[in-house]
Amino acid sequence: MNNTSRTDWVRVDAMNDEDIDTSDIPPLSEEFFAKAQLRMPKSGLTITVKVDPETFAWFKEQGETAEQQMAVALKIYAEAHKAYPGSEAKST
């Protein structure tokens, strides 16, 4: 699978705020800010999990955020499986 970005990041990095077209984004009203709530992410748990060496090596090759990427991958997997009946954890 090739997930290489086709975005011209050099051009994007060189842009100033004035160069960005935001005309399709409606302005936020005072009502929006009156109802807005700050939501902080929940603190994560620190656990120990056995991972096969090849999988761990792949995540480490992605850079310094390997642990964060593994946590995101697990969250995406869990969310995807919530949609399927019978995928809930079974009590023993």
Side-chain angles (χ1 to χ4, degrees), residues 13 23 29 34 36 45 50 55-58 68 75-77 80-81 83:
D13 287 341
S23 62
S29 66
L45 299 174
K50 289 185 180 183
T55 301
F56 185 69
W58 184 87
Q68 290 173 321
K75 185 171 187 163
I76 291 169
Y77 180 88
H81 286 78

Side-chain angles (χ1 to χ4, degrees), residues 30-67:
E30 291 296 323
E31 180 184 4
F32 170 84
F33 288 104
K35 293 181 179 179
Q37 296 179 6
L38 176 61
R39 296 185 183 186
M40 300 299 290
K42 296 177 185 174
S43 298
L45 299 174
T46 301
I47 62 169
T48 302
V49 177
K50 289 185 180 183
V51 179
D52 66 87
E54 294 83 10
T55 301
F56 185 69
W58 184 87
F59 275 101
K60 291 303 275 185
E61 288 171 7
Q62 307 314 303
E64 297 176 12
T65 61
E67 290 82 5

Side-chain angles (χ1 to χ4, degrees), residues 87-92:
S87 66
E88 297 84 20
K90 305 218 184 330
S91 59
T92 55

